[in-house]
Amino acid sequence: MPNLYQEVIFWALFAITVFSALLVVGQRDMFRSALALIVTFLAIAGIFAQMNAEFLAVAQVLIYVGAVSVLVIFAVMFTKDMPHSTRSTNLQPVSIVVVGLLFIALSWAIFQSQWNEMPAELPVFVESTLVDSSSQLGTAIIRDYVMAFETVGVLLLAAVVGALALVRDK
Amino acid sequence: MGEALAENIVYRHVYEFILSVFGSELAWLAYAIATFSVVLLVVNVLMLLATFYTWAERRLLGRFTNRLGPNRAGPFGLLQALADAVKLLTKEDIVPRSADRWVFNIAPIVMLGSVLMAMGVIPLGEKTFLADLNIGLLYLVAVSGLGSIAVLMAGYASANKFSTFGAMRAAAVLISYEIPLVMSLLSITILAGSMSLIEVVNSQTIPFLLVTPLAAFIFLTAMSAELNRSPFDITEGESEIVAGYLTEYSGMKFGTFMLAEFAALMVAGAVFAVLFLQGWKWAILPSHIWMLLKVGLFALLATWVRSTLPRLRPDQILTFAWKFLFPLSLINVIALSVQRLLLADEFGNLQQQDMWLMVVSNWILMVVAVPVLIKITNRKSGIPFGESAKFHVGKGV
């Protein structure tokens, strides 16, 4: 029985994701596009949460909904004539080709890779380790991959300093 | 998570009642209705608290400014909130012609939704909570981010200069103060060793208010900025931009925004109680009463601050966030990490005498760090914002 609920929730989230993603590109009003993008992010966070990746789900909401979307809306607010500013251009054939290639590449990658499928009935000890994904993630980032983590930090710092150097008055 | 809910009295009784009526084939229905009734209970408690607080705050503001405050409706004016609700419900609901109608209508719902979602992880008493997420603290921050989206939606959809100004100001303040807020939550995580709010309460053998006064100060300040309360209420600065993003709202949509704002204050009070005041724990009285008293204490403090401090300028508010609160929160996080590394035993647990040691060292840190940082900030201020952005934290706040 619980599997049925999970299926229903998954397909609902899937439908919301696809529909709102279509809304992002399919309407004229840029502000509404940005809002539809937020709905997409939220639905993807829901899918993450359903896959027991709570930390990833919350991080998705925190970073994409809370920060990136706000910046997107900020940028959108500076555009001229916002409700009608999205016009079709003559670049449509090019973009169709590019998007099609990306789609083919991604599906190829997904179908080619070896997925470790989990048995439907998990042993108890595996389930208990699955629940606390945040502490595992913390251990992995701070202990095993600390070099990469610190490098990303330095990179971001350089980006911030660079941005400040660009906008600062001489 | 499910087990914790099953221990709840309301949940169990409703569940068993429905099972006894319909038989065990409809277990899913019993589950749905029982869960729904618990959620309804929590939501209603929050809404009632918020409406009651509107009255309490107006009475207190009256005291602080030598007035009476609302005292006509019912004994001591207790029914004032009811009268306000009826007034708002019967008012004409106006949507400006040039407004983005759909976004305009949905913004108050998003605002209220973000506050209600935060309620999901907050323990209101012993064994009284909807969910015990092991990432509860992070969840709180993520959900409150939806509120800033609602403010932006309201400001844009109104198609009004003042609304847009208010929304832009709100976004700037919310983004800036979110960082010190998250840092103070991080220092709580370092102390408790967990992001679950239940674990945070259980690990407080000494209230964290004593152990890390800096984090409590940063949390209080950043929270009052996130809640748009004086001295940080530039988003609704009445004397400058009418009512900010609320300018075009009328009737119950305005009411929903106000309700969400006051409910957010109650939620903030509950979070403060959980993080710094041992949550529901204390002697003699039942746990729920303690929780209510601590939320009340926070609300009193918030009202007091609101009636005492004048509004700051937008540039002063941003300078305060980036040049004072942010470095302070960094210092606090580093100090706590070092203390934890030095004092914790091999299992990463802190004993009570270690906690007392941390109390002493953190109070010394606060007494040293705050004046030094004020001195540095005052000398260095005004570089990116120009001379006008003088920083007066030492005298004003």
Side-chain angles (χ1 to χ4, degrees):
Chain A
M1 271 313 249
N3 278 332
L4 177 69
Y5 302 144
Q6 289 196 344
E7 291 267 303
V8 170
I9 293 172
F10 172 76
W11 286 108
L13 286 171
F14 166 78
I16 294 172
T17 311
V18 173
F19 180 69
S20 57
L22 285 177
L23 271 184
V24 174
V25 289
Q27 62 184 343
R28 303 234 141 195
D29 191 333
M30 278 179 80
F31 190 82
R32 285 192 179 188
S33 291
L35 293 182
L37 191 65
I38 293 171
V39 178
T40 317
F41 288 148
L42 282 176
I44 291 175
I47 292 176
F48 283 152
Q50 212 194 6
M51 294 193 292
N52 265 336
E54 294 144 351
F55 183 83
L56 203 58
V58 172
Q60 164 94 4
V61 175
L62 185 66
I63 292 166
Y64 283 96
V65 177
V68 172
S69 303
V70 172
L71 289 181
V72 167
I73 290 177
F74 246 81
V76 164
M77 275 183 160
F78 285 115
T79 53
K80 237 193 215 170
D81 188 22
M82 216 189 312
H84 314 285
S85 49
T86 318
R87 293 200 190 82
S88 48
T89 57
N90 51 8
L91 283 174
Q92 266 179 353
V94 183
S95 47
I96 285 173
V97 169
V98 171
V99 169
L101 283 177
L102 188 69
F103 179 74
I104 291 167
L106 279 179
S107 359
W108 183 79
I110 287 169
F111 286 115
Q112 281 299 303
S113 41
Q114 288 284 322
W115 297 101
N116 296 322
E117 284 187 20
M118 276 191 292
E121 291 292 319
L122 285 174
V124 178
F125 65 93
V126 178
E127 198 137 80
S128 66
T129 52
L130 268 182
V131 168
D132 199 11
S133 62
S134 48
S135 70
Q136 285 179 327
L137 209 63
T139 317
I141 290 176
I142 299 295
R143 203 164 283 164
D144 303 343
Y145 302 103
V146 66
M147 198 60 208
F149 178 69
E150 291 296 328
T151 315
V152 170
V154 172
L155 187 70
L156 286 176
L157 183 69
V160 169
V161 171
L164 279 178
L166 282 177
V167 297
R168 199 175 171 184
D169 310 337
K170 291 284 154 13
Chain B
M1 279 166 248
E3 299 81 51
L5 192 61
E7 277 176 36
N8 187 299
I9 293 175
V10 179
Y11 177 86
R12 209 175 56 226
H13 283 272
V14 175
Y15 188 79
E16 278 165 10
F17 173 73
I18 293 171
L19 270 195
S20 65
V21 173
F22 293 108
S24 55
E25 301 92 72
L26 286 176
W28 61 272
L29 186 71
Y31 171 75
I33 294 179
T35 311
F36 185 72
S37 43
V38 175
V39 171
L40 202 66
L41 192 70
V42 172
V43 168
N44 274 318
V45 165
L46 180 66
M47 290 295 115
L48 277 177
L49 260 182
T51 44
F52 173 72
Y53 178 65
T54 57
W55 168 80
E57 180 170 76
R58 288 170 67 186
R59 286 290 287 194
L60 278 170
L61 277 180
R63 284 298 304 162
F64 282 120
T65 51
N66 269 334
R67 294 180 286 114
L68 284 173
N71 63 351
R72 294 285 130 183
F76 310 108
L78 260 172
L79 298 176
Q80 183 65 40
L82 195 68
D84 285 343
V86 171
K87 187 193 80 174
L88 284 173
L89 279 170
T90 50
K91 266 196 170 179
E92 189 190 355
D93 174 44
I94 302 166
V95 180
R97 192 176 297 157
S98 55
D100 189 338
R101 184 171 270 276
W102 192 79
V103 180
F104 186 84
N105 287 339
I106 215 162
I109 302 171
V110 175
M111 186 80 167
L112 194 61
S114 84
V115 178
L116 291 183
M117 279 168 79
M119 255 341 252
V121 292
I122 297 171
L124 298 172
E126 220 174 351
K127 290 182 184 168
T128 311
F129 51 88
L130 294 181
D132 178 18
L133 286 187
N134 56 0
I135 41 161
L137 279 174
L138 209 58
Y139 172 85
L140 277 179
V141 182
V143 162
S144 70
L146 288 177
S148 54
I149 303 272
V151 170
L152 278 174
M153 282 166 75
Y156 160 74
S158 301
N160 178 317
K161 274 188 208 113
F162 297 116
S163 300
T164 315
F165 275 137
M168 294 298 242
R169 283 183 173 192
V173 169
L174 289 173
I175 290 178
S176 308
Y177 279 87
E178 197 154 293
I179 297 166
L181 189 71
V182 171
M183 289 304 240
S184 78
L185 296 185
L186 181 63
S187 48
I188 294 300
T189 314
I190 291 171
L191 277 177
S194 168
M195 283 192 278
S196 151
L197 290 168
I198 316 285
E199 276 299 304
V200 168
V201 173
N202 284 332
S203 63
Q204 287 185 55
T205 46
I206 307 168
F208 283 165
L209 178 68
L210 292 177
V211 180
T212 166
L214 269 181
F217 167 72
I218 293 163
F219 181 86
L220 277 178
T221 319
M223 213 42 172
S224 60
E226 296 260 322
L227 294 170
N228 298 331
R229 290 178 68 85
S230 177
F232 302 104
D233 59 346
I234 50 164
T235 52
E236 295 164 36
E238 296 88 354
S239 50
E240 301 159 23
I241 49 171
V242 193
Y245 61 92
L246 294 174
T247 304
E248 294 290 352
Y249 280 91
S250 58
M252 203 49 209
K253 280 175 203 154
F254 175 78
T256 309
F257 265 117
M258 284 331 251
L259 195 62
E261 205 162 282
F262 283 105
L265 189 96
M266 290 294 108
V267 171
V271 174
F272 182 75
V274 165
L275 296 186
F276 294 103
L277 300 174
Q278 291 186 313
W280 66 82
K281 288 202 287 190
W282 210 289
I284 307 168
L285 288 174
S287 60
H288 301 87
I289 305 287
W290 271 122
M291 193 68 195
L292 260 182
L293 284 177
K294 285 166 186 175
V295 173
L297 184 74
F298 177 85
L300 174 68
L301 197 70
T303 312
W304 200 338
V305 169
R306 178 185 166 172
S307 58
T308 310
L309 297 175
R311 184 182 306 137
L312 294 168
R313 285 201 318 263
D315 58 329
Q316 287 173 326
I317 288 176
L318 294 185
T319 317
F320 183 74
W322 288 105
K323 295 189 173 175
F324 181 73
L325 272 191
F326 180 48
L328 197 65
S329 56
L330 278 182
I331 292 171
N332 190 39
V333 165
I334 292 170
L336 282 175
S337 320
V338 170
Q339 287 167 3
R340 195 184 165 94
L341 274 181
L342 291 180
L343 294 174
D345 56 18
E346 64 263 38
F347 306 110
N349 294 320
L350 289 165
Q351 303 303 322
Q352 190 151 17
Q353 65 263 32
D354 300 333
M355 285 279 206
W356 282 114
L357 211 61
M358 289 173 90
V359 171
V360 175
S361 53
N362 277 320
W363 278 90
I364 293 173
L365 177 76
M366 178 158 105
V367 171
V368 174
V370 172
V372 169
L373 203 58
I374 288 175
K375 199 150 239 168
I376 295 173
T377 324
N378 265 335
R379 202 179 52 207
K380 288 267 171 77
S381 77
I383 291 173
F385 294 113
E387 259 310 295
S388 61
K390 266 273 190 294
F391 190 65
H392 289 303
V393 66
K395 295 152 215 157
V397 185

